[in-house]
Amino acid sequence: MSKTLEQKNTRYLLTWLPLVLLLGSVLFYVILTGHARHMQEKQLELKQQNIWQAFAAGSLPMQIKGEYSITKLSLPVNDAGKIQDTDSGYTVLSKQYELNRDHYLLTTLVTSKEYSHLLVKVFATEIFVFMLLLFSIVVINRKSSKRLWQPFYKTLQAASDYDIAKNNSFAPLAETGITEFNQLNKELTDLAAKNNKAYSNQKQFVENASHEIQTPLAIIRSKLDLLINEPGLTEGTALLLADITQANDRLSLLNKSLLLLAKIDNNQFPDQERINISQLLSSIIANYQEHYDNFPVTDLLIADNIYLTANPALIEILFSNLIKNAVVHNFPGGYIRVTLNGGEFSIENSGMSLTIEPGYLFERFRKGTSDIKTTGLGLALVKQIAQLYGLEVLYTHQNGIHHIKVTFGTGNLPNLS
Amino acid sequence: MKLLVIEDEISLRQSIVDYFTQSGFLCEQAGTFQEGVQKADDFQYDCIILDINLPGGNGLQLLDHLRKDKKTDGVIIISARDAVEDRIAGLDLGADDYLTKPFHLSELNARVKALIRRKYGSGSSVLEAGSLKLDLAAKTVLVHDSLVSFTKNEFELLLFLITNQNRVVSRQAIAEHLYGEQTDNLASFDFVYSHIKNLKKKLKEKGCGDMLQAVYGLGYKLVV
């Protein structure tokens, strides 16, 4: 599972920083006790020296409780003097001295309780400081990384707003104050510019190609029109000509649809107006009913005065294609049901089951049937036009009933008036 | 009838000229802008068929030039560009009609004939073909002088066939003529067939069944 940069950063800090601080504390403790011990020993030795000098001068008694004690030795012991801790909380230094050929053992004491108390206090303070350190490092780190990564998040937002087809302006900040981000933004801007160029070249290419194809198609068509009028046409030749004519017309139709798709891609339908789609739908259906002999049984539930703001030519293509689709892919004695209200348009029809995945139905050149009479571009056009105006198209089918729903998005709510 | 075809694509130009010559038109042709301007300036034509993209200039400029010169020749623009703006620009400049490539010659013929009828019609809106009389204003048909009722589509189909009389008109041409250019609709051929069937039946009832002939699945022909 992925985490945000900030979470990740904090997690690393919280994993490693306490370890480092703990290690630091141990080290600090060891060094601190070492220094304290050293200081204690020095102090003890100094005290002993002072006591001995004072004793030697005869101004001190043999013993002061809690400070020192001097005992006269009958025999010198081979002892250089050592520092010991007693159970009663003192640190003790015993050493031999010689005064007037007499041997004395001087034992000096200092309390070690104070030192260990100090040690504990210093150590506790240190722990507190370290905790404070840990807390502030994490907080400062979070704050500063938030600020540092700000340009990155802006770039990210710009990248997610970028859409090669709809919004191809991509302009992250050129100057973020951070070299790496400047570079990132520059690279991304260049990349987007290259993409845009390639995309627009490709779109332009499709449009130009379709345009260029029109003329040879027109020539073939005109020659065929002349040819079918030649005297002495035999039945065999006529059948060949009929096939050629049909293929050529199919090509023309494909080309026209491709050109239309390219033009929508190239935003060549900028003008929009408020269209009464209730009227438009009724007239399209009436028109088809008149033209088709075996028009399916039609069930219309069209609310009055539903408006949509769009290009009239494109909206007509959208609805005609959907209705035609429902008619052409029907079977004799089938039905269509058209519903239009303020929020959506839906069309339902009886028909054969699909031979392709429903998800591919709106792709270019995908056909649900191998019917030679369709181009495979009708629904692609529907999708393209719907996308242009933010309409949502949903296809479902069940038991040979096909259902297409067009939901009018919030961006283009049809207004009732 | 005099016709000027201004089109740079020689093969297409030749097809148009051939078709109209066969229909009894007197055809002139031009392949460039200059040639077109010259011919249009020098003569009066009943109809000029004008391409937009021409070597040496734009067909719309040529049209503009003609209209500024107070020339009233009928003009039909033929163009590979079918954007609404192009169409509007052409019609605004005074073109009488606009046809998008590729088109059927029978459709172009129908447009030319309609233009000529509109522009030079002698007031009578009745079209006669053999025993048929079509009243274009009232949309009524007399067969052997008795009224026969036809649906709107059947009337249009009959008119189209009469305009192209004695020629084979392909099913595709009929479909496009009836259902418009933007019909993404090859399925409509079946419906052309059913219209033809009805038409033939009605003509047969009046003893004119032979007028309408099917030509080997290619199309139909109205013989006068």
Side-chain angles (χ1 to χ4, degrees):
Chain A
M1 211 184 74
S2 80
K3 289 198 157 56
T4 65
L5 213 56
E6 197 181 318
Q7 283 172 328
K8 207 91 177 167
N9 195 5
T10 306
R11 213 167 73 158
Y12 277 132
L13 274 180
L14 286 180
T15 312
W16 292 106
L17 205 58
L19 260 176
V20 170
L21 290 181
L22 196 69
L23 212 72
S25 313
V26 171
L27 209 64
F28 180 76
Y29 179 76
V30 170
I31 292 170
L32 185 69
T33 38
H35 282 310
R37 183 76 185 175
H38 183 70
M39 196 189 76
Q40 208 174 16
E41 284 169 8
K42 285 279 176 224
Q43 227 174 358
L44 208 54
E45 275 165 14
L46 191 69
K47 186 179 173 182
Q48 191 158 40
Q49 248 172 24
N50 290 340
I51 291 170
W52 181 250
Q53 274 163 15
F55 179 75
S59 60
L60 279 181
M62 288 292 278
Q63 177 177 3
I64 295 176
K65 201 173 165 51
E67 292 293 336
Y68 68 91
S69 70
I70 299 168
T71 42
K72 200 171 181 178
L73 296 170
S74 47
L75 275 172
V77 280
N78 196 10
D79 191 355
K82 56 184 177 193
I83 294 173
Q84 277 176 319
D85 288 314
T86 64
D87 291 339
S88 48
Y90 288 97
T91 304
V92 179
L93 172 64
S94 305
K95 204 176 173 182
Q96 286 183 70
Y97 289 92
E98 200 184 322
L99 182 72
N100 305 328
R101 284 186 196 145
D102 285 329
H103 294 277
Y104 295 92
L105 182 69
L106 173 55
T107 303
T108 320
L109 307 98
V110 287
T111 172
S112 56
K113 265 185 199 153
E114 303 308 320
Y115 280 104
S116 36
H117 284 172
L118 186 68
L119 269 182
V120 168
K121 276 177 194 160
V122 168
F123 192 65
T125 314
E126 189 247 349
I127 293 287
F128 172 73
V129 169
F130 272 18
M131 292 302 270
L132 193 73
L133 213 59
L134 179 69
F135 177 74
S136 37
I137 284 174
V138 169
V139 168
I140 290 169
N141 198 282
R142 281 175 78 103
K143 291 258 185 237
S144 74
S145 75
K146 213 177 234 174
R147 189 169 293 180
L148 273 176
W149 288 92
Q150 201 60 40
F152 177 78
Y153 290 118
K154 276 187 184 151
T155 305
L156 211 58
Q157 187 56 46
S160 97
D161 288 343
Y162 173 78
D163 181 321
I164 199 158
K166 283 184 221 149
N167 166 30
N168 66 359
S169 70
F170 179 71
L173 284 178
E175 186 49 63
T176 59
I178 297 169
T179 317
E180 284 87 343
F181 288 148
N182 285 351
Q183 200 177 343
L184 177 74
N185 287 354
K186 189 185 166 299
E187 296 299 335
L188 284 177
T189 311
D190 288 353
L191 193 67
K194 271 185 217 154
N195 269 350
N196 288 344
K197 194 161 176 242
Y199 185 69
S200 103
N201 278 349
Q202 186 217 328
K203 285 196 305 184
Q204 207 55 52
F205 173 78
V206 174
E207 195 182 335
N208 290 343
S210 297
H211 261 306
E212 290 305 314
I213 291 169
Q214 299 280 68
T215 307
L217 282 174
I219 293 170
I220 297 172
R221 190 177 265 200
S222 70
K223 299 296 175 195
L224 282 167
D225 278 343
L226 287 172
L227 211 49
I228 59 173
N229 277 295
E230 284 289 305
L233 208 61
T234 64
E235 188 174 355
T237 322
L239 289 178
L240 288 178
L241 284 178
D243 284 350
I244 297 172
T245 308
Q246 193 161 342
N248 186 55
D249 279 44
R250 197 162 154 218
L251 198 56
S252 303
L253 204 54
L254 274 175
N255 195 52
K256 243 177 203 169
S257 304
L258 274 181
L259 187 57
L260 187 61
L261 278 169
K263 281 182 163 177
I264 298 170
D265 268 349
N266 289 342
N267 253 328
Q268 289 182 19
F269 293 92
D271 35 308
Q272 301 192 351
E273 55 186 69
R274 265 181 95 222
I275 307 155
N276 185 331
I277 44 175
S278 311
Q279 276 176 14
L280 180 71
L281 260 178
S282 306
S283 85
I284 291 172
I285 293 166
N287 202 25
Y288 275 118
Q289 271 173 327
E290 200 183 315
H291 285 161
Y292 284 67
D293 241 14
N294 294 311
F295 201 83
V297 176
T298 311
D299 187 7
L300 298 180
L301 286 159
I302 299 178
D304 282 337
N305 294 325
I306 306 289
Y307 286 85
L308 209 60
T309 303
N311 182 288
L314 293 185
I315 283 299
E316 187 171 347
I317 291 169
L318 179 119
F319 287 118
S320 307
N321 281 0
L322 285 174
I323 291 162
K324 194 200 70 207
N325 206 56
V327 175
V328 171
H329 297 292
N330 225 309
F331 49 70
Y335 77 97
I336 63 173
R337 179 176 297 134
V338 179
T339 317
L340 175 73
N341 57 46
E344 64 181 44
F345 161 83
S346 86
I347 184 159
E348 185 183 304
N349 67 282
S350 51
M352 312 298 163
S353 339
L354 281 186
T355 52
I356 57 163
E357 280 286 302
Y360 291 128
L361 204 59
F362 291 86
E363 301 285 311
R364 295 175 186 191
F365 300 117
R366 292 290 190 151
K367 296 200 248 178
T369 60
S370 52
D371 191 345
I372 196 165
K373 288 171 182 166
T374 61
T375 58
L377 288 174
L379 287 180
L381 270 168
V382 167
K383 183 183 162 195
Q384 194 92 3
I385 296 168
Q387 256 176 13
L388 186 67
Y389 296 116
L391 311 175
E392 200 183 316
V393 183
L394 188 75
Y395 170 85
T396 47
H397 73 131
Q398 202 174 22
N399 306 329
I401 304 295
H402 303 263
H403 190 256
I404 292 179
K405 192 164 81 174
V406 180
T407 313
F408 309 130
T410 44
N412 197 343
L413 264 184
N415 18 34
L416 296 148
S417 62
Chain B
M1 290 284 166
K2 280 183 79 177
L3 199 67
L4 173 61
V5 183
I6 309 174
E7 158 70 57
D8 63 326
E9 199 67 44
I10 183 158
S11 203
L12 184 60
R13 189 171 74 228
Q14 198 56 51
S15 296
I16 298 170
V17 168
D18 286 354
Y19 198 86
F20 282 92
T21 308
Q22 283 171 20
S23 298
F25 279 83
L26 206 61
C27 296
E28 286 281 333
Q29 43 182 303
T32 64
F33 180 79
Q34 289 307 330
E35 212 182 330
V37 170
Q38 200 186 341
K39 289 200 168 158
D41 279 347
D42 289 352
F43 303 99
Q44 171 80 34
Y45 293 94
D46 296 299
C47 182
I48 297 175
I49 291 166
L50 180 64
D51 187 17
I52 288 189
N53 289 323
L54 289 169
N58 185 304
L60 293 176
Q61 291 169 345
L62 202 153
L63 176 61
D64 196 32
H65 166 81
L66 275 185
R67 293 303 186 230
K68 280 191 176 140
D69 224 25
K70 306 278 183 237
K71 286 253 185 188
T72 56
D73 314 42
V75 172
I76 294 177
I77 291 175
I78 48 172
S79 168
R81 311 204 316 199
D82 69 343
V84 184
E85 300 84 66
D86 294 336
R87 207 175 275 257
I88 290 171
L91 297 178
D92 274 354
L93 282 172
D96 297 276
D97 211 340
Y98 191 107
L99 198 55
T100 313
K101 289 179 190 172
F103 49 80
H104 286 281
L105 289 177
S106 45
E107 180 64 33
L108 181 61
N109 186 34
R111 303 279 183 110
V112 170
K113 293 263 176 73
L115 189 158
I116 289 171
R117 267 202 310 271
R118 277 203 311 271
K119 242 184 154 86
Y120 314 105
S122 48
S124 157
S125 64
V126 177
L127 199 64
E128 279 191 60
S131 46
L132 303 175
K133 274 192 194 129
L134 266 71
D135 188 327
L136 301 180
K139 307 256 179 211
T140 52
V141 183
L142 294 174
V143 187
H144 286 309
D145 290 324
S146 68
L147 197 66
V148 179
S149 87
F150 286 102
T151 65
K152 187 172 147 266
N153 274 316
E154 287 163 5
F155 183 86
E156 289 299 325
L157 175 57
L158 192 58
L159 177 59
F160 188 57
L161 289 170
I162 287 175
T163 316
N164 287 292
Q165 55 187 260
N166 295 322
R167 317 198 66 142
V168 182
V169 180
S170 67
R171 288 187 304 167
Q172 285 84 356
I174 296 172
E176 272 201 23
H177 181 76
L178 291 182
Y179 308 139
E181 276 175 56
Q182 203 53 62
T183 39
D184 176 4
N185 206 346
L186 291 159
S188 52
F189 298 154
D190 302 343
F191 312 112
V192 169
Y193 173 73
S194 76
H195 284 319
I196 289 279
K197 204 173 65 185
N198 292 338
L199 202 61
K200 201 171 167 77
K201 204 171 98 192
K202 288 179 183 175
L203 289 175
K204 208 170 182 177
E205 281 167 6
K206 298 286 167 187
C208 295
D210 294 341
M211 279 185 92
L212 193 54
Q213 297 173 355
V215 184
Y216 308 123
L218 265 180
Y220 306 93
K221 185 168 162 180
L222 191 86
V223 184
V224 178

